[in-house]
Amino acid sequence: MAPLIGCVRTVYTGQAPPDGNRSDIDHGARQLLAGLAGALSVRATIQQAIGVLMARNDRNATESYRQLRLRAAETGNSLADTASAILDGATAPHSHPEN
């Protein structure tokens, strides 16, 4: 269990999950760690999009998260895809703010 805990700690700090070269981590554990890394990445994207909405609309995090969820529901896209679209719009040259 200690090798898995160490790998979780590594992934949580932003490092890549271990590859298949580690003999102390089995295939299932590698899949778990890859899933964790993906979830943390999605979480970071959503948090960044909330920050963009907060700055853009002068609202708090709760209101901005609600706006993000509503936009995702209205478009039929996932929360992660909606957050990515907001970030893409925020970094695109000559972007127009969305309300």
Side-chain angles (χ1 to χ4, degrees):
M1 186 66 110
L4 178 59
I5 292 169
C7 289
V8 167
R9 195 174 292 127
T10 298
V11 170
Y12 192 76
T13 61
Q15 299 175 33
D19 57 18
N21 296 332
R22 288 194 55 162
S23 61
D24 58 344
I25 301 293
D26 67 12
H27 178 70
R30 282 191 292 279
Q31 286 182 316
L32 176 87
L33 293 166
L36 174 61
L40 292 172
S41 176
V42 167
R43 180 177 125 188
T45 299
I46 291 169
Q47 288 175 334
Q48 289 171 356
I50 290 169
V52 167
L53 292 173
M54 288 171 64
R56 188 182 289 165
N57 300 315
D58 193 30
R59 296 207 174 133
N60 66 32
T62 301
E63 293 167 341
S64 297
Y65 181 54
R66 182 178 177 277
Q67 181 183 14
L68 178 64
R69 290 188 340 261
L70 288 172
R71 188 173 301 171
E74 288 169 355
T75 61
N77 292 324
S78 70
L79 200 58
D81 288 344
T82 303
S84 292
I86 288 170
L87 293 178
D88 290 345
T91 59
H94 310 294
S95 65
H96 298 287
E98 299 173 14
N99 291 323

